[in-house]
Amino acid sequence: MAIKSADQITIVDVTDAYSVILTSETYTFVGGSGGVAAGQSCTTEAVAFCGSNQCSSVNVTAADIVCPTGISARVENSGTSKVKITFNTTATIAVACEATIPVVVDGITVNKKFSFAVAKAG
């Protein structure tokens, strides 16, 4: 019997892949008819896994977070297994927007998006 086809494949072991997760990826501010005023806040936490093992050191730098106009970010516990990120409104926010959070794990940077929505009174 003759060979009808042949092929070659490469199998990649992804059991040690990195996964970066935000405990919450979106928040809806409740505001008045013009949007949400300054002084509101929300939080999320960044964690990472290598395969099924939680990473012990996750780094986020507040100055590296790209926030939309009218929102600032504060970071706590950078360098631990769970980094807390708090967003604060510093001006009136009237439309949906998002922040980009660079999360560094073992020298690898993963950019995570956090979305903000505004529920206006109607």
Side-chain angles (χ1 to χ4, degrees), residues 21-43:
I21 302 165
L22 296 178
T23 56
S24 174
E25 294 184 349
T26 186
Y27 185 80
T28 301
F29 290 110
V30 177
S33 59
V36 63
Q40 301 296 313
S41 66
C42 62
T43 61

Side-chain angles (χ1 to χ4, degrees), residues 19-109:
S19 299
V20 176
I21 302 165
L22 296 178
T23 56
S24 174
E25 294 184 349
T26 186
Y27 185 80
T28 301
F29 290 110
V30 177
S33 59
V36 63
Q40 301 296 313
S41 66
C42 62
T43 61
T44 188
E45 293 176 321
V47 296
F49 291 87
C50 181
S52 61
N53 300 315
Q54 187 170 358
C55 298
S56 60
S57 181
V58 177
N59 294 288
V60 177
T61 303
D64 293 339
I65 298 174
V66 180
C67 290
T69 302
I71 295 180
S72 66
R74 187 177 75 243
V75 174
E76 298 174 47
N77 303 324
S78 186
T80 66
S81 62
K82 192 183 288 187
V83 180
K84 182 178 180 180
I85 304 158
T86 302
F87 293 102
N88 294 298
T89 58
T90 58
T92 299
I93 305 298
V95 296
C97 50
E98 69 181 14
T100 302
I101 306 167
V103 180
V104 181
V105 182
D106 291 341
I108 299 168
T109 301

